[in-house]
Amino acid sequence: MSAAYVVFSRDHWFFTRMTDMAAIESVIIEVAPAIQVAEAFYNDVFSMGSRVQVRSSEAPTTGFRGFTMSLVVSQPATVNSLIGNARDAGATVIKPAAKSLWGYGGAVQAPDGTIWTVASSSKKDTGPADLQIDAIVLQLGVADVAASKQFYLDRGLTMAKSFGSRYVEFDTGPVKLTLNKRGALAKTAGVSPDGTGSHRLLISGDAGTFTDPDGFAWETPLT
């Protein structure tokens, strides 16, 4: 159900309508063949619970799969702890944690091949690492950001931020969604943008069942 309300500003008012936003309940990563290893990694290292699930798949895939998962945390110490724990559990560090213009972060590749970035907007620690994850973000690398943005707007997603044809962020609840140029996303993760085959990813939420222009599949979870 939607609700209408009036917003007042200093110089004018306007009428808008608030609707139920489309949400991502979980992402399903397809792995082969050691599904138990992947489940243990995501539960023990990142404590993802139901937000990240795995299932078995033999779909061929090579190189960059066109997406990354990102964990947003409060400070560099937490970044270092999560990346260290992932490395100790079998992940490969592909971009060591370091300061940048926007904060502090690094990237690892999980045993199943999925790339995870861990980042903080802060460059200084305010206390000991607590391993608390502030946000989970699914970052899609797309060919045409503007076209993909419109595709998702047409399916009821709520846009939170947009920077022209370079970056779009949607407010999708438990798991946030961003659209990025494929090459730029690969560069941030520290890998080549080249890749073929399956994304080995399924996005589960209430936006519907469809496949987007870049081949990312969505499904409505069974209730």
Side-chain angles (χ1 to χ4, degrees), residues 54-123:
V54 297
R55 72 179 185 186
S56 180
S57 172
E58 297 291 343
T61 186
T62 62
F64 183 48
R65 297 182 190 172
F67 76 94
T68 66
M69 295 294 300
S70 180
L71 303 179
V72 181
V73 300
S74 63
Q75 60 180 347
T78 303
V79 172
N80 292 336
S81 292
L82 286 169
I83 288 179
N85 290 346
R87 180 194 60 229
D88 293 345
T92 301
V93 177
I94 54 178
K95 193 170 186 179
K99 291 182 180 179
S100 68
L101 291 176
W102 48 263
Y104 185 88
V108 300
Q109 189 166 34
D112 66 86
T114 302
I115 295 173
W116 289 76
T117 61
V118 186
S120 171
S121 60
S122 174
K123 298 180 183 180

Side-chain angles (χ1 to χ4, degrees), residues 27-30 67 138 140 198-203 216-217:
V27 295
I28 301 169
I29 297 172
E30 298 180 333
F67 76 94
L138 169 60
L140 301 185
S198 173
H199 293 300
R200 289 212 179 159
L201 176 75
L202 184 63
I203 306 165
F216 291 102

